[in-house]
PDB file of all heavy atoms in Angstrom:
ATOM      1  N   GLU A 846      25.840   2.484 -17.796  1.00 98.00           N
ATOM      2  CA  GLU A 846      24.513   2.386 -18.403  1.00 98.00           C
ATOM      3  C   GLU A 846      23.494   1.950 -17.357  1.00 98.00           C
ATOM      4  O   GLU A 846      23.803   1.144 -16.483  1.00 98.00           O
ATOM      5  CB  GLU A 846      24.557   1.356 -19.532  1.00 98.00           C
ATOM      6  CG  GLU A 846      23.275   1.184 -20.296  1.00 98.00           C
ATOM      7  CD  GLU A 846      23.405   0.161 -21.422  1.00 98.00           C
ATOM      8  OE1 GLU A 846      24.515  -0.330 -21.703  1.00 98.00           O
ATOM      9  OE2 GLU A 846      22.360  -0.144 -22.030  1.00 98.00           O
ATOM     10  N   ILE A 847      22.278   2.489 -17.467  1.00 98.00           N
ATOM     11  CA  ILE A 847      21.165   2.058 -16.623  1.00 98.00           C
ATOM     12  C   ILE A 847      20.040   1.591 -17.526  1.00 98.00           C
ATOM     13  O   ILE A 847      19.677   2.267 -18.485  1.00 98.00           O
ATOM     14  CB  ILE A 847      20.649   3.188 -15.706  1.00 98.00           C
ATOM     15  CG1 ILE A 847      21.701   3.562 -14.665  1.00 98.00           C
ATOM     16  CG2 ILE A 847      19.339   2.766 -15.014  1.00 98.00           C
ATOM     17  CD1 ILE A 847      21.289   4.702 -13.743  1.00 98.00           C
ATOM     18  N   ILE A 848      19.512   0.415 -17.194  1.00 98.00           N
ATOM     19  CA  ILE A 848      18.322  -0.094 -17.853  1.00 98.00           C
ATOM     20  C   ILE A 848      17.251  -0.175 -16.781  1.00 98.00           C
ATOM     21  O   ILE A 848      17.389  -0.927 -15.822  1.00 98.00           O
ATOM     22  CB  ILE A 848      18.567  -1.484 -18.476  1.00 98.00           C
ATOM     23  CG1 ILE A 848      19.681  -1.396 -19.515  1.00 98.00           C
ATOM     24  CG2 ILE A 848      17.275  -2.034 -19.076  1.00 98.00           C
ATOM     25  CD1 ILE A 848      20.242  -2.724 -19.940  1.00 98.00           C
ATOM     26  N   CYS A 849      16.213   0.637 -16.910  1.00 97.00           N
ATOM     27  CA  CYS A 849      15.122   0.671 -15.942  1.00 97.00           C
ATOM     28  C   CYS A 849      13.813   0.667 -16.710  1.00 97.00           C
ATOM     29  O   CYS A 849      13.600   1.499 -17.591  1.00 97.00           O
ATOM     30  CB  CYS A 849      15.226   1.901 -15.052  1.00 97.00           C
ATOM     31  SG  CYS A 849      13.919   1.982 -13.804  1.00 97.00           S
ATOM     32  N   LEU A 850      12.946  -0.282 -16.370  1.00 96.00           N
ATOM     33  CA  LEU A 850      11.701  -0.443 -17.106  1.00 96.00           C
ATOM     34  C   LEU A 850      10.606   0.535 -16.698  1.00 96.00           C
ATOM     35  O   LEU A 850       9.745   0.857 -17.496  1.00 96.00           O
ATOM     36  CB  LEU A 850      11.190  -1.876 -16.940  1.00 96.00           C
ATOM     37  CG  LEU A 850      12.151  -2.985 -17.383  1.00 96.00           C
ATOM     38  CD1 LEU A 850      11.526  -4.347 -17.136  1.00 96.00           C
ATOM     39  CD2 LEU A 850      12.553  -2.809 -18.834  1.00 96.00           C
ATOM     40  N   SER A 851      10.631   0.997 -15.454  1.00 95.00           N
ATOM     41  CA  SER A 851       9.549   1.842 -14.980  1.00 95.00           C
ATOM     42  C   SER A 851      10.046   2.797 -13.901  1.00 95.00           C
ATOM     43  O   SER A 851      10.817   2.409 -13.025  1.00 95.00           O
ATOM     44  CB  SER A 851       8.421   0.973 -14.422  1.00 95.00           C
ATOM     45  OG  SER A 851       7.372   1.756 -13.904  1.00 95.00           O
ATOM     46  N   THR A 852       9.582   4.045 -13.994  1.00 95.00           N
ATOM     47  CA  THR A 852       9.887   5.038 -12.959  1.00 95.00           C
ATOM     48  C   THR A 852       8.560   5.617 -12.447  1.00 95.00           C
ATOM     49  O   THR A 852       8.184   6.735 -12.793  1.00 95.00           O
ATOM     50  CB  THR A 852      10.784   6.166 -13.522  1.00 95.00           C
ATOM     51  OG1 THR A 852      10.153   6.715 -14.669  1.00 95.00           O
ATOM     52  CG2 THR A 852      12.165   5.666 -13.872  1.00 95.00           C
ATOM     53  N   PRO A 853       7.845   4.817 -11.636  1.00 92.00           N
ATOM     54  CA  PRO A 853       6.532   5.258 -11.162  1.00 92.00           C
ATOM     55  C   PRO A 853       6.623   6.538 -10.328  1.00 92.00           C
ATOM     56  O   PRO A 853       7.585   6.749  -9.605  1.00 92.00           O
ATOM     57  CB  PRO A 853       6.044   4.091 -10.299  1.00 92.00           C
ATOM     58  CG  PRO A 853       7.128   3.103 -10.226  1.00 92.00           C
ATOM     59  CD  PRO A 853       8.246   3.538 -11.094  1.00 92.00           C
ATOM     60  N   SER A 854       5.599   7.359 -10.484  1.00 91.00           N
ATOM     61  CA  SER A 854       5.529   8.582  -9.702  1.00 91.00           C
ATOM     62  C   SER A 854       4.075   8.788  -9.282  1.00 91.00           C
ATOM     63  O   SER A 854       3.190   8.790 -10.135  1.00 91.00           O
ATOM     64  CB  SER A 854       6.007   9.765 -10.539  1.00 91.00           C
ATOM     65  OG  SER A 854       5.989  10.935  -9.780  1.00 91.00           O
ATOM     66  N   PRO A 855       3.808   8.882  -8.025  1.00 89.00           N
ATOM     67  CA  PRO A 855       4.775   8.856  -6.938  1.00 89.00           C
ATOM     68  C   PRO A 855       5.287   7.436  -6.703  1.00 89.00           C
ATOM     69  O   PRO A 855       4.597   6.460  -6.951  1.00 89.00           O
ATOM     70  CB  PRO A 855       3.969   9.333  -5.727  1.00 89.00           C
ATOM     71  CG  PRO A 855       2.569   8.925  -6.028  1.00 89.00           C
ATOM     72  CD  PRO A 855       2.433   9.032  -7.525  1.00 89.00           C
ATOM     73  N   PHE A 856       6.527   7.373  -6.230  1.00 90.00           N
ATOM     74  CA  PHE A 856       7.139   6.081  -5.909  1.00 90.00           C
ATOM     75  C   PHE A 856       6.890   5.814  -4.435  1.00 90.00           C
ATOM     76  O   PHE A 856       7.289   6.598  -3.591  1.00 90.00           O
ATOM     77  CB  PHE A 856       8.639   6.114  -6.194  1.00 90.00           C
ATOM     78  CG  PHE A 856       9.279   4.759  -6.091  1.00 90.00           C
ATOM     79  CD1 PHE A 856       9.390   3.962  -7.206  1.00 90.00           C
ATOM     80  CD2 PHE A 856       9.752   4.283  -4.883  1.00 90.00           C
ATOM     81  CE1 PHE A 856       9.970   2.711  -7.139  1.00 90.00           C
ATOM     82  CE2 PHE A 856      10.329   3.038  -4.785  1.00 90.00           C
ATOM     83  CZ  PHE A 856      10.437   2.251  -5.920  1.00 90.00           C
ATOM     84  N   LEU A 857       6.203   4.721  -4.132  1.00 86.00           N
ATOM     85  CA  LEU A 857       5.865   4.423  -2.740  1.00 86.00           C
ATOM     86  C   LEU A 857       6.890   3.507  -2.087  1.00 86.00           C
ATOM     87  O   LEU A 857       7.528   3.875  -1.121  1.00 86.00           O
ATOM     88  CB  LEU A 857       4.467   3.814  -2.672  1.00 86.00           C
ATOM     89  CG  LEU A 857       3.365   4.681  -3.305  1.00 86.00           C
ATOM     90  CD1 LEU A 857       2.050   3.946  -3.351  1.00 86.00           C
ATOM     91  CD2 LEU A 857       3.255   6.002  -2.571  1.00 86.00           C
ATOM     92  N   ALA A 858       7.029   2.311  -2.609  1.00 91.00           N
ATOM     93  CA  ALA A 858       7.990   1.335  -2.110  1.00 91.00           C
ATOM     94  C   ALA A 858       8.150   0.270  -3.181  1.00 91.00           C
ATOM     95  O   ALA A 858       7.235   0.033  -3.968  1.00 91.00           O
ATOM     96  CB  ALA A 858       7.493   0.699  -0.813  1.00 91.00           C
ATOM     97  N   VAL A 859       9.294  -0.378  -3.211  1.00 93.00           N
ATOM     98  CA  VAL A 859       9.546  -1.408  -4.223  1.00 93.00           C
ATOM     99  C   VAL A 859       8.483  -2.488  -4.157  1.00 93.00           C
ATOM    100  O   VAL A 859       7.867  -2.851  -5.161  1.00 93.00           O
ATOM    101  CB  VAL A 859      10.961  -2.011  -4.055  1.00 93.00           C
ATOM    102  CG1 VAL A 859      11.150  -3.202  -4.991  1.00 93.00           C
ATOM    103  CG2 VAL A 859      12.030  -0.958  -4.307  1.00 93.00           C
ATOM    104  N   GLY A 860       8.235  -3.017  -2.981  1.00 91.00           N
ATOM    105  CA  GLY A 860       7.285  -4.114  -2.814  1.00 91.00           C
ATOM    106  C   GLY A 860       5.864  -3.784  -3.244  1.00 91.00           C
ATOM    107  O   GLY A 860       5.093  -4.680  -3.589  1.00 91.00           O
ATOM    108  N   ALA A 861       5.527  -2.507  -3.267  1.00 90.00           N
ATOM    109  CA  ALA A 861       4.176  -2.095  -3.663  1.00 90.00           C
ATOM    110  C   ALA A 861       3.908  -2.357  -5.146  1.00 90.00           C
ATOM    111  O   ALA A 861       2.760  -2.362  -5.574  1.00 90.00           O
ATOM    112  CB  ALA A 861       3.965  -0.616  -3.350  1.00 90.00           C
ATOM    113  N   HIS A 862       4.953  -2.611  -5.909  1.00 89.00           N
ATOM    114  CA  HIS A 862       4.816  -2.812  -7.352  1.00 89.00           C
ATOM    115  C   HIS A 862       4.873  -4.288  -7.754  1.00 89.00           C
ATOM    116  O   HIS A 862       4.941  -4.593  -8.941  1.00 89.00           O
ATOM    117  CB  HIS A 862       5.897  -2.018  -8.086  1.00 89.00           C
ATOM    118  CG  HIS A 862       5.804  -0.554  -7.810  1.00 89.00           C
ATOM    119  ND1 HIS A 862       4.933   0.268  -8.483  1.00 89.00           N
ATOM    120  CD2 HIS A 862       6.424   0.224  -6.892  1.00 89.00           C
ATOM    121  CE1 HIS A 862       5.048   1.490  -8.022  1.00 89.00           C
ATOM    122  NE2 HIS A 862       5.944   1.492  -7.044  1.00 89.00           N
ATOM    123  N   TYR A 863       4.868  -5.156  -6.782  1.00 90.00           N
ATOM    124  CA  TYR A 863       4.908  -6.596  -7.025  1.00 90.00           C
ATOM    125  C   TYR A 863       3.671  -7.261  -6.437  1.00 90.00           C
ATOM    126  O   TYR A 863       3.238  -6.890  -5.341  1.00 90.00           O
ATOM    127  CB  TYR A 863       6.141  -7.231  -6.365  1.00 90.00           C
ATOM    128  CG  TYR A 863       7.443  -6.964  -7.080  1.00 90.00           C
ATOM    129  CD1 TYR A 863       8.191  -5.822  -6.814  1.00 90.00           C
ATOM    130  CD2 TYR A 863       7.928  -7.861  -8.026  1.00 90.00           C
ATOM    131  CE1 TYR A 863       9.393  -5.582  -7.464  1.00 90.00           C
ATOM    132  CE2 TYR A 863       9.126  -7.634  -8.680  1.00 90.00           C
ATOM    133  CZ  TYR A 863       9.853  -6.489  -8.391  1.00 90.00           C
ATOM    134  OH  TYR A 863      11.039  -6.265  -9.037  1.00 90.00           O
ATOM    135  N   ALA A 864       3.135  -8.258  -7.139  1.00 89.00           N
ATOM    136  CA  ALA A 864       2.035  -9.051  -6.582  1.00 89.00           C
ATOM    137  C   ALA A 864       2.558  -9.931  -5.454  1.00 89.00           C
ATOM    138  O   ALA A 864       1.867 -10.187  -4.472  1.00 89.00           O
ATOM    139  CB  ALA A 864       1.390  -9.909  -7.675  1.00 89.00           C
ATOM    140  N   GLU A 865       3.804 -10.384  -5.600  1.00 89.00           N
ATOM    141  CA  GLU A 865       4.443 -11.222  -4.588  1.00 89.00           C
ATOM    142  C   GLU A 865       5.869 -10.728  -4.416  1.00 89.00           C
ATOM    143  O   GLU A 865       6.612 -10.592  -5.391  1.00 89.00           O
ATOM    144  CB  GLU A 865       4.449 -12.683  -5.074  1.00 89.00           C
ATOM    145  CG  GLU A 865       4.605 -13.681  -3.976  1.00 89.00           C
ATOM    146  CD  GLU A 865       4.501 -15.099  -4.527  1.00 89.00           C
ATOM    147  OE1 GLU A 865       3.509 -15.401  -5.194  1.00 89.00           O
ATOM    148  OE2 GLU A 865       5.435 -15.867  -4.267  1.00 89.00           O
ATOM    149  N   PHE A 866       6.283 -10.446  -3.180  1.00 89.00           N
ATOM    150  CA  PHE A 866       7.599  -9.841  -2.949  1.00 89.00           C
ATOM    151  C   PHE A 866       8.294 -10.514  -1.771  1.00 89.00           C
ATOM    152  O   PHE A 866       8.735  -9.877  -0.834  1.00 89.00           O
ATOM    153  CB  PHE A 866       7.455  -8.333  -2.719  1.00 89.00           C
ATOM    154  CG  PHE A 866       8.748  -7.575  -2.797  1.00 89.00           C
ATOM    155  CD1 PHE A 866       9.462  -7.527  -3.981  1.00 89.00           C
ATOM    156  CD2 PHE A 866       9.244  -6.902  -1.698  1.00 89.00           C
ATOM    157  CE1 PHE A 866      10.655  -6.824  -4.064  1.00 89.00           C
ATOM    158  CE2 PHE A 866      10.431  -6.189  -1.769  1.00 89.00           C
ATOM    159  CZ  PHE A 866      11.137  -6.145  -2.956  1.00 89.00           C
ATOM    160  N   GLY A 867       8.391 -11.844  -1.834  1.00 87.00           N
ATOM    161  CA  GLY A 867       9.035 -12.596  -0.759  1.00 87.00           C
ATOM    162  C   GLY A 867      10.544 -12.501  -0.842  1.00 87.00           C
ATOM    163  O   GLY A 867      11.111 -12.230  -1.897  1.00 87.00           O
ATOM    164  N   GLN A 868      11.190 -12.714   0.277  1.00 88.00           N
ATOM    165  CA  GLN A 868      12.649 -12.707   0.343  1.00 88.00           C
ATOM    166  C   GLN A 868      13.186 -14.108   0.068  1.00 88.00           C
ATOM    167  O   GLN A 868      12.550 -15.101   0.410  1.00 88.00           O
ATOM    168  CB  GLN A 868      13.107 -12.247   1.734  1.00 88.00           C
ATOM    169  CG  GLN A 868      12.672 -10.838   2.079  1.00 88.00           C
ATOM    170  CD  GLN A 868      13.272  -9.801   1.145  1.00 88.00           C
ATOM    171  OE1 GLN A 868      14.475  -9.755   0.957  1.00 88.00           O
ATOM    172  NE2 GLN A 868      12.430  -8.963   0.562  1.00 88.00           N
ATOM    173  N   LEU A 869      14.350 -14.184  -0.549  1.00 88.00           N
ATOM    174  CA  LEU A 869      15.005 -15.463  -0.786  1.00 88.00           C
ATOM    175  C   LEU A 869      15.780 -15.873   0.460  1.00 88.00           C
ATOM    176  O   LEU A 869      16.474 -15.055   1.061  1.00 88.00           O
ATOM    177  CB  LEU A 869      15.986 -15.375  -1.953  1.00 88.00           C
ATOM    178  CG  LEU A 869      15.395 -15.287  -3.351  1.00 88.00           C
ATOM    179  CD1 LEU A 869      16.511 -15.124  -4.381  1.00 88.00           C
ATOM    180  CD2 LEU A 869      14.565 -16.500  -3.668  1.00 88.00           C
ATOM    181  N   ALA A 870      15.670 -17.132   0.795  1.00 92.00           N
ATOM    182  CA  ALA A 870      16.468 -17.686   1.896  1.00 92.00           C
ATOM    183  C   ALA A 870      17.852 -18.039   1.356  1.00 92.00           C
ATOM    184  O   ALA A 870      18.035 -18.225   0.147  1.00 92.00           O
ATOM    185  CB  ALA A 870      15.786 -18.932   2.453  1.00 92.00           C
ATOM    186  N   ASP A 871      18.828 -18.142   2.252  1.00 92.00           N
ATOM    187  CA  ASP A 871      20.175 -18.543   1.839  1.00 92.00           C
ATOM    188  C   ASP A 871      20.134 -19.831   1.025  1.00 92.00           C
ATOM    189  O   ASP A 871      20.839 -19.961   0.025  1.00 92.00           O
ATOM    190  CB  ASP A 871      21.077 -18.746   3.061  1.00 92.00           C
ATOM    191  CG  ASP A 871      21.577 -17.437   3.655  1.00 92.00           C
ATOM    192  OD1 ASP A 871      21.427 -16.382   3.000  1.00 92.00           O
ATOM    193  OD2 ASP A 871      22.123 -17.478   4.762  1.00 92.00           O
ATOM    194  N   ALA A 872      19.326 -20.778   1.439  1.00 92.00           N
ATOM    195  CA  ALA A 872      19.253 -22.066   0.740  1.00 92.00           C
ATOM    196  C   ALA A 872      18.817 -21.885  -0.713  1.00 92.00           C
ATOM    197  O   ALA A 872      19.313 -22.587  -1.602  1.00 92.00           O
ATOM    198  CB  ALA A 872      18.299 -23.006   1.468  1.00 92.00           C
TER     199      ALA A 872
END
């Protein structure tokens, strides 16, 4: 099963769809 809320077209990049797209540190 796949649950996906949005399939934007054109799809540019994942981060382009977030106001904030920081990476998590190991900590």
Side-chain angles (χ1 to χ4, degrees):
E846 182 179 353
I847 293 178
I848 300 166
C849 181
L850 303 179
S851 178
T852 55
S854 182
F856 189 92
L857 304 173
V859 173
H862 300 278
Y863 285 87
E865 201 176 306
F866 194 64
Q868 298 297 307
L869 287 177
D871 282 348

